[in-house]
Amino acid sequence: PRTIPLRGVTISCASGSSHKPFRSGFLVRVRACVCVCVCDLIKMGVSPSHMSTMGSPVGFLSCEEAEAEAGATIATPAVPTTAIVDYMELPRPVKYEELQKEAMMSLKPECFEGFRFDFMKHLNQKFSLSHSVYMGSVDVPSQSGQTVKVPVGTYEFGANLITQGDKGEQRWLIGRMLSDGRMSGRCRYDVSDALSFKLQAQLAQEAMYSQIMADVDLQGTDWNAQVKLGNNEFYGVNYLQSVTPTLAMGGEAFWLGSQRKSGVGFAARHSESAGHVATCQVATTGLLSLTYVHKASEKAALASDFMWNWNAREATATFGYDYMLRQCRLRGRVDTNGVVACFLEEKLNVGVTFLLSAELDHSSKNYKFGFGMSIGE
């Protein structure tokens, strides 16, 4: 038997039926939208004499006529229905500090100058060691206002311990030690899905570069909050709440006691399932930031950023791209200050990545080129 879909109703055409005197393949049309097989009516005890009294319109349709009517019915456009939003079941937004993470991936590539080599060795599923060698130069401002390049070479040793709880809680400890005497470390401990603690510290020979910061992250079903405590009498708090399924709004505040400074900021983030993300941040410190990320396809994304400092009366606009190929990833940006940057990651083999970096600052005639290799994942 053949089936013809008609507005959710299935029409069964009993071709090859032996019932007489009706010809095989004929249908009875009852009302306007329901079609049943004549054979089925006979099985239900409806006599042929009563078929003409089943209500108007009643008639016989051949297979071709039934298919034509079914196609015309299906072609009728359906009336769009508006989805009902349940404001008690809104999604959880991203963390406030990750508000612009999609834009930063394209607009802030890890450009470097010189040579870089990274190697990571996994000893087991939880513990790994890393080695990094960098040979290049750093920019040091001079009294004349020009930038002076100072050659530098460093070696960095790192250790990573990463575990995961039964319910997906993350617990990790990461440490780094550089050849110039600097040390840094980060740790995170998730008590539950709603509460986690983070601690990061950096120790250097110069006291002004040593710092420590502790974070307490709180998460709800449709909100995120964070409390920050740091040295130099730093206190901060931020909060982000989902207002609709695609819109989240929040704010932040901080106090820096050593400099007697404080600030308040507000933010909004609009994200769609297609990957389009728009953000807006404004703060009493005089900064206005607007970003937009448009996911053109599964492999390509475009990003833009506008930064305005109304205290200094300065504005900067940046355009960036992020393109994923089969074996490489290409990211770049260009801004209104004349700075053009590009960063390429080419996978040569499993766990082997070749790096190319370039940054051209035409206004200050500062050009940076670098290449490197990363082994391990």
Side-chain angles (χ1 to χ4, degrees):
R2 292 183 297 164
T3 59
I4 306 173
L6 180 58
R7 286 191 179 178
V9 179
T10 300
I11 307 169
S12 298
C13 182
S15 300
S17 174
S18 59
H19 290 288
K20 302 295 182 181
F22 304 99
R23 290 182 296 171
S24 62
F26 275 63
L27 304 175
V28 172
R29 181 175 59 188
V30 182
R31 300 302 177 188
C33 300
V34 180
C35 296
V36 296
C37 182
V38 172
C39 303
D40 295 335
L41 291 177
I42 295 177
K43 292 178 181 179
M44 289 186 294
V46 181
S47 62
S49 60
H50 289 90
M51 290 185 184
S52 60
T53 61
M54 292 177 62
S56 179
V58 178
F60 294 91
L61 295 177
S62 64
C63 299
E64 292 76 14
E65 293 173 340
E67 289 178 353
E69 181 168 334
T73 306
I74 295 174
T76 303
V79 178
T81 58
T82 304
I84 300 177
V85 178
D86 187 0
Y87 289 95
M88 300 302 295
E89 297 293 338
L90 295 177
R92 178 185 296 173
V94 300
K95 296 182 180 179
Y96 195 92
E97 57 187 9
E98 300 176 356
L99 197 72
Q100 302 177 348
K101 62 178 182 179
E102 293 86 358
M104 293 300 103
M105 292 296 294
S106 302
L107 301 176
K108 301 292 183 182
E110 301 176 2
C111 295
F112 60 95
E113 182 179 13
F115 171 75
R116 194 178 82 182
F117 177 77
D118 301 324
F119 175 76
M120 178 172 287
K121 174 66 175 179
H122 290 272
L123 302 182
N124 52 48
Q125 295 183 351
K126 300 180 180 180
F127 188 71
S128 62
L129 298 177
S130 65
H131 307 269
S132 179
V133 177
Y134 172 72
M135 293 181 292
S137 61
V138 295
D139 296 338
V140 178
S142 62
Q143 295 181 355
S144 60
Q146 296 182 352
T147 302
V148 179
K149 294 182 179 293
V150 178
V152 63
T154 59
Y155 165 74
E156 181 185 83
F157 173 76
N160 311 305
L161 177 62
I162 301 176
T163 62
Q164 192 171 2
D166 298 335
K167 298 182 180 180
E169 302 92 344
Q170 296 185 13
R171 298 160 187 171
W172 41 260
L173 181 62
I174 299 176
R176 296 289 185 269
M177 178 179 292
L178 280 77
S179 56
D180 58 3
R182 289 179 295 168
M183 296 178 59
S184 63
R186 294 180 298 161
C187 67
R188 172 175 175 173
Y189 187 88
D190 291 349
V191 180
S192 63
D193 184 57
L195 177 62
S196 63
F197 298 92
K198 291 189 297 184
L199 180 66
Q200 53 183 345
Q202 176 177 312
L203 301 178
Q205 296 179 356
E206 300 85 357
M208 59 182 301
Y209 294 113
S210 299
Q211 59 182 2
I212 185 171
M213 182 74 67
D215 300 339
V216 180
D217 294 335
L218 302 173
Q219 297 180 351
T221 57
D222 58 357
W223 57 271
N224 269 316
Q226 187 180 65
V227 178
K228 290 178 171 290
L229 302 175
N231 60 330
N232 297 325
E233 301 181 35
F234 177 83
Y235 307 96
V237 61
N238 58 65
Y239 179 82
L240 194 63
Q241 170 74 54
S242 291
V243 181
T244 68
T246 59
L247 178 63
M249 303 180 68
E252 65 174 342
F254 75 90
W255 165 257
L256 185 58
S258 60
Q259 301 181 10
R260 313 293 293 180
K261 291 184 178 180
S262 63
V264 178
F266 302 95
R269 172 187 168 97
H270 183 272
S271 59
E272 299 180 359
S273 58
H276 311 324
V277 180
T279 66
C280 175
Q281 285 184 281
V282 59
T284 56
T285 54
L287 294 178
L288 171 65
S289 176
L290 303 173
T291 66
Y292 176 70
V293 177
H294 181 84
K295 193 172 183 180
S297 64
E298 293 295 331
K299 297 182 179 180
L302 303 176
S304 60
D305 170 70
F306 176 77
M307 183 76 67
W308 180 36
N309 187 337
W310 65 62
N311 293 330
R313 297 298 189 271
E314 295 179 353
T316 304
T318 308
F319 171 79
Y321 59 89
D322 190 348
Y323 193 73
M324 297 287 294
L325 297 174
R326 188 172 62 90
Q327 293 289 341
C328 73
R329 181 179 185 181
L330 180 63
R331 289 178 288 171
R333 75 172 190 273
V334 57
D335 61 24
T336 54
N337 292 328
V339 180
V340 181
C342 183
F343 189 76
L344 173 67
E345 299 172 276
E346 175 78 22
K347 288 188 177 181
L348 304 179
N349 205 338
V350 178
V352 180
T353 304
F354 179 68
L355 309 175
L356 283 177
S357 173
E359 185 175 357
L360 311 177
D361 189 349
H362 297 286
S363 59
S364 61
K365 297 182 179 181
N366 186 11
Y367 308 110
K368 301 178 182 180
F369 299 93
F371 70 99
M373 181 168 292
S374 176
I375 299 178
E377 295 181 355

PDB file of all heavy atoms in Angstrom, residues 43-80:
ATOM      1  N   LYS A  43     -14.842  -2.830   5.705  1.00  0.00           N
ATOM      2  CA  LYS A  43     -14.462  -3.641   6.853  1.00  0.00           C
ATOM      3  C   LYS A  43     -15.125  -3.146   8.121  1.00  0.00           C
ATOM      4  O   LYS A  43     -15.363  -3.908   9.057  1.00  0.00           O
ATOM      5  CB  LYS A  43     -12.950  -3.634   7.018  1.00  0.00           C
ATOM      6  CG  LYS A  43     -12.224  -4.371   5.897  1.00  0.00           C
ATOM      7  CD  LYS A  43     -10.717  -4.296   6.097  1.00  0.00           C
ATOM      8  CE  LYS A  43      -9.994  -4.998   4.965  1.00  0.00           C
ATOM      9  NZ  LYS A  43      -8.521  -4.915   5.124  1.00  0.00           N
ATOM     10  N   MET A  44     -15.415  -1.835   8.193  1.00  0.00           N
ATOM     11  CA  MET A  44     -16.058  -1.275   9.377  1.00  0.00           C
ATOM     12  C   MET A  44     -17.566  -1.478   9.348  1.00  0.00           C
ATOM     13  O   MET A  44     -18.263  -1.053  10.261  1.00  0.00           O
ATOM     14  CB  MET A  44     -15.741   0.223   9.494  1.00  0.00           C
ATOM     15  CG  MET A  44     -14.290   0.507   9.868  1.00  0.00           C
ATOM     16  SD  MET A  44     -13.964   2.252  10.169  1.00  0.00           S
ATOM     17  CE  MET A  44     -14.222   2.912   8.537  1.00  0.00           C
ATOM     18  N   GLY A  45     -18.097  -2.113   8.317  1.00  0.00           N
ATOM     19  CA  GLY A  45     -19.521  -2.421   8.261  1.00  0.00           C
ATOM     20  C   GLY A  45     -20.357  -1.380   7.580  1.00  0.00           C
ATOM     21  O   GLY A  45     -21.590  -1.409   7.699  1.00  0.00           O
ATOM     22  N   VAL A  46     -19.729  -0.435   6.846  1.00  0.00           N
ATOM     23  CA  VAL A  46     -20.498   0.590   6.149  1.00  0.00           C
ATOM     24  C   VAL A  46     -20.873   0.043   4.778  1.00  0.00           C
ATOM     25  O   VAL A  46     -20.001  -0.327   3.990  1.00  0.00           O
ATOM     26  CB  VAL A  46     -19.700   1.885   6.011  1.00  0.00           C
ATOM     27  CG1 VAL A  46     -20.540   2.953   5.291  1.00  0.00           C
ATOM     28  CG2 VAL A  46     -19.265   2.372   7.382  1.00  0.00           C
ATOM     29  N   SER A  47     -22.147  -0.029   4.506  1.00  0.00           N
ATOM     30  CA  SER A  47     -22.607  -0.561   3.224  1.00  0.00           C
ATOM     31  C   SER A  47     -22.465   0.499   2.157  1.00  0.00           C
ATOM     32  O   SER A  47     -22.477   1.704   2.439  1.00  0.00           O
ATOM     33  CB  SER A  47     -24.062  -1.012   3.319  1.00  0.00           C
ATOM     34  OG  SER A  47     -24.890   0.112   3.624  1.00  0.00           O
ATOM     35  N   PRO A  48     -22.325   0.078   0.888  1.00  0.00           N
ATOM     36  CA  PRO A  48     -22.186   1.061  -0.199  1.00  0.00           C
ATOM     37  C   PRO A  48     -23.356   2.009  -0.304  1.00  0.00           C
ATOM     38  O   PRO A  48     -23.201   3.154  -0.709  1.00  0.00           O
ATOM     39  CB  PRO A  48     -22.044   0.183  -1.432  1.00  0.00           C
ATOM     40  CG  PRO A  48     -21.521  -1.119  -0.914  1.00  0.00           C
ATOM     41  CD  PRO A  48     -22.141  -1.302   0.441  1.00  0.00           C
ATOM     42  N   SER A  49     -24.552   1.550   0.078  1.00  0.00           N
ATOM     43  CA  SER A  49     -25.728   2.417  -0.035  1.00  0.00           C
ATOM     44  C   SER A  49     -25.712   3.565   0.951  1.00  0.00           C
ATOM     45  O   SER A  49     -26.336   4.589   0.748  1.00  0.00           O
ATOM     46  CB  SER A  49     -27.004   1.587   0.160  1.00  0.00           C
ATOM     47  OG  SER A  49     -26.986   0.982   1.454  1.00  0.00           O
ATOM     48  N   HIS A  50     -24.983   3.354   2.070  1.00  0.00           N
ATOM     49  CA  HIS A  50     -24.919   4.416   3.069  1.00  0.00           C
ATOM     50  C   HIS A  50     -23.770   5.387   2.828  1.00  0.00           C
ATOM     51  O   HIS A  50     -23.657   6.383   3.533  1.00  0.00           O
ATOM     52  CB  HIS A  50     -24.766   3.810   4.472  1.00  0.00           C
ATOM     53  CG  HIS A  50     -26.006   3.137   4.959  1.00  0.00           C
ATOM     54  ND1 HIS A  50     -26.262   1.802   4.721  1.00  0.00           N
ATOM     55  CD2 HIS A  50     -27.075   3.598   5.653  1.00  0.00           C
ATOM     56  CE1 HIS A  50     -27.421   1.448   5.258  1.00  0.00           C
ATOM     57  NE2 HIS A  50     -27.948   2.543   5.832  1.00  0.00           N
ATOM     58  N   MET A  51     -22.868   5.089   1.900  1.00  0.00           N
ATOM     59  CA  MET A  51     -21.705   5.959   1.709  1.00  0.00           C
ATOM     60  C   MET A  51     -22.091   7.322   1.182  1.00  0.00           C
ATOM     61  O   MET A  51     -21.434   8.317   1.453  1.00  0.00           O
ATOM     62  CB  MET A  51     -20.704   5.296   0.761  1.00  0.00           C
ATOM     63  CG  MET A  51     -20.005   4.105   1.369  1.00  0.00           C
ATOM     64  SD  MET A  51     -18.744   3.435   0.289  1.00  0.00           S
ATOM     65  CE  MET A  51     -18.249   2.009   1.263  1.00  0.00           C
ATOM     66  N   SER A  52     -23.209   7.387   0.428  1.00  0.00           N
ATOM     67  CA  SER A  52     -23.630   8.682  -0.110  1.00  0.00           C
ATOM     68  C   SER A  52     -24.349   9.533   0.909  1.00  0.00           C
ATOM     69  O   SER A  52     -24.639  10.693   0.653  1.00  0.00           O
ATOM     70  CB  SER A  52     -24.541   8.458  -1.322  1.00  0.00           C
ATOM     71  OG  SER A  52     -25.685   7.725  -0.922  1.00  0.00           O
ATOM     72  N   THR A  53     -24.631   8.985   2.106  1.00  0.00           N
ATOM     73  CA  THR A  53     -25.353   9.738   3.140  1.00  0.00           C
ATOM     74  C   THR A  53     -24.456  10.063   4.319  1.00  0.00           C
ATOM     75  O   THR A  53     -24.935  10.369   5.401  1.00  0.00           O
ATOM     76  CB  THR A  53     -26.550   8.926   3.629  1.00  0.00           C
ATOM     77  OG1 THR A  53     -26.079   7.702   4.195  1.00  0.00           O
ATOM     78  CG2 THR A  53     -27.498   8.634   2.499  1.00  0.00           C
ATOM     79  N   MET A  54     -23.128   9.948   4.132  1.00  0.00           N
ATOM     80  CA  MET A  54     -22.202  10.173   5.259  1.00  0.00           C
ATOM     81  C   MET A  54     -21.927  11.651   5.478  1.00  0.00           C
ATOM     82  O   MET A  54     -21.146  12.022   6.314  1.00  0.00           O
ATOM     83  CB  MET A  54     -20.877   9.453   5.001  1.00  0.00           C
ATOM     84  CG  MET A  54     -21.024   7.941   5.044  1.00  0.00           C
ATOM     85  SD  MET A  54     -19.487   7.122   4.649  1.00  0.00           S
ATOM     86  CE  MET A  54     -18.473   7.711   5.969  1.00  0.00           C
ATOM     87  N   GLY A  55     -22.557  12.518   4.746  1.00  0.00           N
ATOM     88  CA  GLY A  55     -22.345  13.959   4.940  1.00  0.00           C
ATOM     89  C   GLY A  55     -21.632  14.554   3.765  1.00  0.00           C
ATOM     90  O   GLY A  55     -20.891  13.887   3.059  1.00  0.00           O
ATOM     91  N   SER A  56     -21.822  15.800   3.546  1.00  0.00           N
ATOM     92  CA  SER A  56     -21.241  16.504   2.405  1.00  0.00           C
ATOM     93  C   SER A  56     -19.926  17.141   2.827  1.00  0.00           C
ATOM     94  O   SER A  56     -19.785  17.659   3.939  1.00  0.00           O
ATOM     95  CB  SER A  56     -22.203  17.572   1.927  1.00  0.00           C
ATOM     96  OG  SER A  56     -21.652  18.267   0.839  1.00  0.00           O
ATOM     97  N   PRO A  57     -18.874  17.116   1.949  1.00  0.00           N
ATOM     98  CA  PRO A  57     -18.922  16.470   0.654  1.00  0.00           C
ATOM     99  C   PRO A  57     -18.439  15.027   0.741  1.00  0.00           C
ATOM    100  O   PRO A  57     -17.485  14.765   1.445  1.00  0.00           O
ATOM    101  CB  PRO A  57     -17.976  17.306  -0.185  1.00  0.00           C
ATOM    102  CG  PRO A  57     -16.964  17.793   0.789  1.00  0.00           C
ATOM    103  CD  PRO A  57     -17.677  17.950   2.095  1.00  0.00           C
ATOM    104  N   VAL A  58     -19.064  14.125   0.064  1.00  0.00           N
ATOM    105  CA  VAL A  58     -18.654  12.727  -0.008  1.00  0.00           C
ATOM    106  C   VAL A  58     -18.482  12.372  -1.461  1.00  0.00           C
ATOM    107  O   VAL A  58     -19.328  12.687  -2.295  1.00  0.00           O
ATOM    108  CB  VAL A  58     -19.691  11.805   0.664  1.00  0.00           C
ATOM    109  CG1 VAL A  58     -19.269  10.355   0.530  1.00  0.00           C
ATOM    110  CG2 VAL A  58     -19.864  12.169   2.123  1.00  0.00           C
ATOM    111  N   GLY A  59     -17.398  11.735  -1.816  1.00  0.00           N
ATOM    112  CA  GLY A  59     -17.192  11.373  -3.201  1.00  0.00           C
ATOM    113  C   GLY A  59     -16.065  10.391  -3.340  1.00  0.00           C
ATOM    114  O   GLY A  59     -15.490   9.955  -2.347  1.00  0.00           O
ATOM    115  N   PHE A  60     -15.774  10.044  -4.541  1.00  0.00           N
ATOM    116  CA  PHE A  60     -14.727   9.091  -4.827  1.00  0.00           C
ATOM    117  C   PHE A  60     -13.568   9.817  -5.498  1.00  0.00           C
ATOM    118  O   PHE A  60     -13.764  10.668  -6.352  1.00  0.00           O
ATOM    119  CB  PHE A  60     -15.259   7.974  -5.743  1.00  0.00           C
ATOM    120  CG  PHE A  60     -16.309   7.121  -5.087  1.00  0.00           C
ATOM    121  CD1 PHE A  60     -17.663   7.455  -5.205  1.00  0.00           C
ATOM    122  CD2 PHE A  60     -15.954   6.020  -4.353  1.00  0.00           C
ATOM    123  CE1 PHE A  60     -18.624   6.686  -4.590  1.00  0.00           C
ATOM    124  CE2 PHE A  60     -16.921   5.250  -3.750  1.00  0.00           C
ATOM    125  CZ  PHE A  60     -18.254   5.572  -3.852  1.00  0.00           C
ATOM    126  N   LEU A  61     -12.342   9.470  -5.053  1.00  0.00           N
ATOM    127  CA  LEU A  61     -11.134  10.046  -5.631  1.00  0.00           C
ATOM    128  C   LEU A  61     -10.226   8.911  -6.079  1.00  0.00           C
ATOM    129  O   LEU A  61     -10.054   7.934  -5.356  1.00  0.00           O
ATOM    130  CB  LEU A  61     -10.372  10.907  -4.614  1.00  0.00           C
ATOM    131  CG  LEU A  61     -11.061  12.180  -4.113  1.00  0.00           C
ATOM    132  CD1 LEU A  61     -10.189  12.840  -3.063  1.00  0.00           C
ATOM    133  CD2 LEU A  61     -11.332  13.120  -5.249  1.00  0.00           C
ATOM    134  N   SER A  62      -9.665   9.064  -7.247  1.00  0.00           N
ATOM    135  CA  SER A  62      -8.667   8.102  -7.684  1.00  0.00           C
ATOM    136  C   SER A  62      -7.344   8.414  -7.016  1.00  0.00           C
ATOM    137  O   SER A  62      -7.185   9.434  -6.339  1.00  0.00           O
ATOM    138  CB  SER A  62      -8.515   8.160  -9.200  1.00  0.00           C
ATOM    139  OG  SER A  62      -8.010   9.425  -9.580  1.00  0.00           O
ATOM    140  N   CYS A  63      -6.359   7.524  -7.216  1.00  0.00           N
ATOM    141  CA  CYS A  63      -5.039   7.734  -6.591  1.00  0.00           C
ATOM    142  C   CYS A  63      -4.413   9.040  -7.069  1.00  0.00           C
ATOM    143  O   CYS A  63      -3.850   9.805  -6.294  1.00  0.00           O
ATOM    144  CB  CYS A  63      -4.120   6.561  -6.922  1.00  0.00           C
ATOM    145  SG  CYS A  63      -4.725   4.979  -6.305  1.00  0.00           S
ATOM    146  N   GLU A  64      -4.495   9.319  -8.394  1.00  0.00           N
ATOM    147  CA  GLU A  64      -3.895  10.537  -8.935  1.00  0.00           C
ATOM    148  C   GLU A  64      -4.573  11.779  -8.377  1.00  0.00           C
ATOM    149  O   GLU A  64      -3.914  12.773  -8.038  1.00  0.00           O
ATOM    150  CB  GLU A  64      -3.985  10.527 -10.458  1.00  0.00           C
ATOM    151  CG  GLU A  64      -3.111   9.464 -11.130  1.00  0.00           C
ATOM    152  CD  GLU A  64      -3.725   8.085 -11.006  1.00  0.00           C
ATOM    153  OE1 GLU A  64      -4.921   8.001 -10.646  1.00  0.00           O
ATOM    154  OE2 GLU A  64      -3.014   7.103 -11.275  1.00  0.00           O
ATOM    155  N   GLU A  65      -5.908  11.735  -8.258  1.00  0.00           N
ATOM    156  CA  GLU A  65      -6.637  12.881  -7.716  1.00  0.00           C
ATOM    157  C   GLU A  65      -6.315  13.096  -6.238  1.00  0.00           C
ATOM    158  O   GLU A  65      -6.179  14.228  -5.768  1.00  0.00           O
ATOM    159  CB  GLU A  65      -8.138  12.676  -7.904  1.00  0.00           C
ATOM    160  CG  GLU A  65      -8.578  12.696  -9.353  1.00  0.00           C
ATOM    161  CD  GLU A  65     -10.039  12.313  -9.503  1.00  0.00           C
ATOM    162  OE1 GLU A  65     -10.595  11.678  -8.579  1.00  0.00           O
ATOM    163  OE2 GLU A  65     -10.620  12.652 -10.532  1.00  0.00           O
ATOM    164  N   ALA A  66      -6.180  11.977  -5.496  1.00  0.00           N
ATOM    165  CA  ALA A  66      -5.846  12.112  -4.068  1.00  0.00           C
ATOM    166  C   ALA A  66      -4.461  12.700  -3.871  1.00  0.00           C
ATOM    167  O   ALA A  66      -4.233  13.536  -3.009  1.00  0.00           O
ATOM    168  CB  ALA A  66      -5.943  10.755  -3.389  1.00  0.00           C
ATOM    169  N   GLU A  67      -3.496  12.263  -4.701  1.00  0.00           N
ATOM    170  CA  GLU A  67      -2.141  12.802  -4.591  1.00  0.00           C
ATOM    171  C   GLU A  67      -2.110  14.288  -4.947  1.00  0.00           C
ATOM    172  O   GLU A  67      -1.410  15.082  -4.320  1.00  0.00           O
ATOM    173  CB  GLU A  67      -1.203  12.022  -5.491  1.00  0.00           C
ATOM    174  CG  GLU A  67      -0.917  10.609  -5.013  1.00  0.00           C
ATOM    175  CD  GLU A  67      -0.009   9.870  -5.972  1.00  0.00           C
ATOM    176  OE1 GLU A  67       0.279  10.415  -7.051  1.00  0.00           O
ATOM    177  OE2 GLU A  67       0.412   8.770  -5.628  1.00  0.00           O
ATOM    178  N   ALA A  68      -2.880  14.668  -5.989  1.00  0.00           N
ATOM    179  CA  ALA A  68      -2.921  16.081  -6.372  1.00  0.00           C
ATOM    180  C   ALA A  68      -3.514  16.930  -5.263  1.00  0.00           C
ATOM    181  O   ALA A  68      -3.031  18.024  -4.952  1.00  0.00           O
ATOM    182  CB  ALA A  68      -3.727  16.237  -7.659  1.00  0.00           C
ATOM    183  N   GLU A  69      -4.598  16.435  -4.624  1.00  0.00           N
ATOM    184  CA  GLU A  69      -5.204  17.197  -3.540  1.00  0.00           C
ATOM    185  C   GLU A  69      -4.294  17.257  -2.322  1.00  0.00           C
ATOM    186  O   GLU A  69      -4.196  18.271  -1.646  1.00  0.00           O
ATOM    187  CB  GLU A  69      -6.546  16.592  -3.144  1.00  0.00           C
ATOM    188  CG  GLU A  69      -7.230  17.363  -2.018  1.00  0.00           C
ATOM    189  CD  GLU A  69      -8.674  16.939  -1.833  1.00  0.00           C
ATOM    190  OE1 GLU A  69      -9.280  16.467  -2.808  1.00  0.00           O
ATOM    191  OE2 GLU A  69      -9.171  17.092  -0.723  1.00  0.00           O
ATOM    192  N   ALA A  70      -3.588  16.119  -2.074  1.00  0.00           N
ATOM    193  CA  ALA A  70      -2.661  16.121  -0.936  1.00  0.00           C
ATOM    194  C   ALA A  70      -1.536  17.109  -1.145  1.00  0.00           C
ATOM    195  O   ALA A  70      -1.142  17.853  -0.247  1.00  0.00           O
ATOM    196  CB  ALA A  70      -2.106  14.719  -0.733  1.00  0.00           C
ATOM    197  N   GLY A  71      -0.995  17.167  -2.396  1.00  0.00           N
ATOM    198  CA  GLY A  71       0.075  18.123  -2.669  1.00  0.00           C
ATOM    199  C   GLY A  71      -0.383  19.549  -2.539  1.00  0.00           C
ATOM    200  O   GLY A  71       0.321  20.411  -2.020  1.00  0.00           O
ATOM    201  N   ALA A  72      -1.608  19.842  -2.992  1.00  0.00           N
ATOM    202  CA  ALA A  72      -2.131  21.210  -2.873  1.00  0.00           C
ATOM    203  C   ALA A  72      -2.347  21.591  -1.429  1.00  0.00           C
ATOM    204  O   ALA A  72      -2.140  22.731  -1.021  1.00  0.00           O
ATOM    205  CB  ALA A  72      -3.439  21.329  -3.657  1.00  0.00           C
ATOM    206  N   THR A  73      -2.764  20.589  -0.622  1.00  0.00           N
ATOM    207  CA  THR A  73      -3.003  20.879   0.800  1.00  0.00           C
ATOM    208  C   THR A  73      -1.699  21.127   1.537  1.00  0.00           C
ATOM    209  O   THR A  73      -1.568  22.035   2.356  1.00  0.00           O
ATOM    210  CB  THR A  73      -3.758  19.708   1.448  1.00  0.00           C
ATOM    211  OG1 THR A  73      -4.937  19.453   0.690  1.00  0.00           O
ATOM    212  CG2 THR A  73      -4.116  20.033   2.883  1.00  0.00           C
ATOM    213  N   ILE A  74      -0.685  20.298   1.194  1.00  0.00           N
ATOM    214  CA  ILE A  74       0.601  20.463   1.877  1.00  0.00           C
ATOM    215  C   ILE A  74       1.260  21.772   1.480  1.00  0.00           C
ATOM    216  O   ILE A  74       1.960  22.412   2.257  1.00  0.00           O
ATOM    217  CB  ILE A  74       1.501  19.260   1.540  1.00  0.00           C
ATOM    218  CG1 ILE A  74       0.885  17.985   2.121  1.00  0.00           C
ATOM    219  CG2 ILE A  74       2.897  19.447   2.093  1.00  0.00           C
ATOM    220  CD1 ILE A  74       1.620  16.725   1.717  1.00  0.00           C
ATOM    221  N   ALA A  75       1.059  22.201   0.215  1.00  0.00           N
ATOM    222  CA  ALA A  75       1.684  23.440  -0.247  1.00  0.00           C
ATOM    223  C   ALA A  75       1.118  24.674   0.421  1.00  0.00           C
ATOM    224  O   ALA A  75       1.697  25.747   0.353  1.00  0.00           O
ATOM    225  CB  ALA A  75       1.518  23.568  -1.768  1.00  0.00           C
ATOM    226  N   THR A  76      -0.056  24.536   1.065  1.00  0.00           N
ATOM    227  CA  THR A  76      -0.648  25.681   1.744  1.00  0.00           C
ATOM    228  C   THR A  76       0.247  26.107   2.905  1.00  0.00           C
ATOM    229  O   THR A  76       0.575  25.300   3.766  1.00  0.00           O
ATOM    230  CB  THR A  76      -2.037  25.326   2.278  1.00  0.00           C
ATOM    231  OG1 THR A  76      -2.840  24.880   1.181  1.00  0.00           O
ATOM    232  CG2 THR A  76      -2.681  26.536   2.936  1.00  0.00           C
ATOM    233  N   PRO A  77       0.734  27.332   2.955  1.00  0.00           N
ATOM    234  CA  PRO A  77       1.651  27.746   4.024  1.00  0.00           C
ATOM    235  C   PRO A  77       0.980  27.693   5.384  1.00  0.00           C
ATOM    236  O   PRO A  77      -0.180  28.072   5.547  1.00  0.00           O
ATOM    237  CB  PRO A  77       2.022  29.195   3.647  1.00  0.00           C
ATOM    238  CG  PRO A  77       0.887  29.661   2.770  1.00  0.00           C
ATOM    239  CD  PRO A  77       0.407  28.451   2.035  1.00  0.00           C
ATOM    240  N   ALA A  78       1.761  27.177   6.349  1.00  0.00           N
ATOM    241  CA  ALA A  78       1.239  27.073   7.704  1.00  0.00           C
ATOM    242  C   ALA A  78       1.331  28.420   8.408  1.00  0.00           C
ATOM    243  O   ALA A  78       2.223  29.224   8.149  1.00  0.00           O
ATOM    244  CB  ALA A  78       2.008  26.021   8.486  1.00  0.00           C
ATOM    245  N   VAL A  79       0.419  28.659   9.290  1.00  0.00           N
ATOM    246  CA  VAL A  79       0.403  29.906  10.047  1.00  0.00           C
ATOM    247  C   VAL A  79       1.497  29.842  11.110  1.00  0.00           C
ATOM    248  O   VAL A  79       1.537  28.907  11.912  1.00  0.00           O
ATOM    249  CB  VAL A  79      -0.971  30.115  10.709  1.00  0.00           C
ATOM    250  CG1 VAL A  79      -0.963  31.400  11.525  1.00  0.00           C
ATOM    251  CG2 VAL A  79      -2.051  30.151   9.648  1.00  0.00           C
ATOM    252  N   PRO A  80       2.472  30.768  11.090  1.00  0.00           N
ATOM    253  CA  PRO A  80       3.547  30.711  12.079  1.00  0.00           C
ATOM    254  C   PRO A  80       3.014  30.922  13.490  1.00  0.00           C
ATOM    255  O   PRO A  80       2.119  31.717  13.730  1.00  0.00           O
ATOM    256  CB  PRO A  80       4.480  31.861  11.656  1.00  0.00           C
ATOM    257  CG  PRO A  80       3.600  32.809  10.894  1.00  0.00           C
ATOM    258  CD  PRO A  80       2.578  31.950  10.206  1.00  0.00           C
TER     259      PRO A  80
END
